[in-house]
Amino acid sequence: MTYKQILSGLSIVLISAALGAGCSSGPEVKKQAYASSPNFRTFEYELPVVWKASLRALKDNKIVDREPEDDNPVELKKLTEASLETDWIYSQSRDKYHEYKVNGSPRRKALQVRLKYKLSLKTTMGGTEVKVGLKEELERLKEDGSSRGYDSVEDPDSGRAAEILDRIGAGILSAPNI
């Protein structure tokens, strides 16, 4: 092999590596540091009351799976467990963003996010325990700012689950007949 062939092959490898590294991933996702919140709470009410409050807390969202399927008061009294799951809810992330610069000035772009909640209710001594499972997918961006789809997130925003629990608590307190 000649010196020219070695340099030519080496330059092709270096250019390919540089292009591959530049095109394979978009901007780095950064996360705002917040304290984590619990994703469960025990409410000192019977399951039917907490179940109705849970449905009210998610009334603006499409529920794709729920057990029990109907709200028969007699059947609700007999239940010891219940669950429901929402469809995807599209929102803006509160803690994940991209950082970039425009003319040397730093900027942040909050990322779009989609969420799915899965609530599990279980009768316990002294009340009803509610656990909120959260599946979060984050929109990934290309270098030009356009979308390249959604990817699953390992550490979902725990504040979202706590917000649902707060809404359930508010729904219980605002119910006409507890």
Side-chain angles (χ1 to χ4, degrees), residues 43-80:
F43 296 97
E44 295 183 31
Y45 296 92
E46 294 178 356
L47 189 126
V49 174
V50 179
W51 173 250
K52 288 178 183 175
S54 299
L55 292 173
R56 277 193 301 275
L58 295 168
K59 70 180 172 18
D60 294 333
N61 307 109
K62 182 178 179 183
I63 296 174
V64 294
D65 187 28
R66 68 180 255 180
E67 183 61 39
E69 292 183 13
D70 62 348
D71 292 328
N72 181 342
V74 175
E75 293 299 319
L76 282 176
K77 283 281 188 193
K78 296 177 187 177
L79 283 181
T80 59

Side-chain angles (χ1 to χ4, degrees), residues 2-68:
T2 67
Y3 184 71
K4 264 186 165 180
Q5 289 174 330
I6 293 173
L7 280 177
S8 175
L10 185 60
S11 63
I12 289 173
V13 169
L14 290 174
I15 290 172
S16 297
L19 286 175
C23 297
S24 64
S25 65
E28 178 187 353
V29 174
K30 297 197 175 195
K31 184 174 183 200
Q32 183 72 37
Y34 289 117
S36 64
S37 302
N39 67 339
F40 66 93
R41 189 176 301 164
T42 301
F43 296 97
E44 295 183 31
Y45 296 92
E46 294 178 356
L47 189 126
V49 174
V50 179
W51 173 250
K52 288 178 183 175
S54 299
L55 292 173
R56 277 193 301 275
L58 295 168
K59 70 180 172 18
D60 294 333
N61 307 109
K62 182 178 179 183
I63 296 174
V64 294
D65 187 28
R66 68 180 255 180
E67 183 61 39

Side-chain angles (χ1 to χ4, degrees), residues 150-164:
Y150 287 85
D151 290 333
S152 191
V153 174
E154 290 180 24
D155 55 339
D157 181 3
S158 63
R160 302 273 186 166
E163 180 182 314
I164 294 296

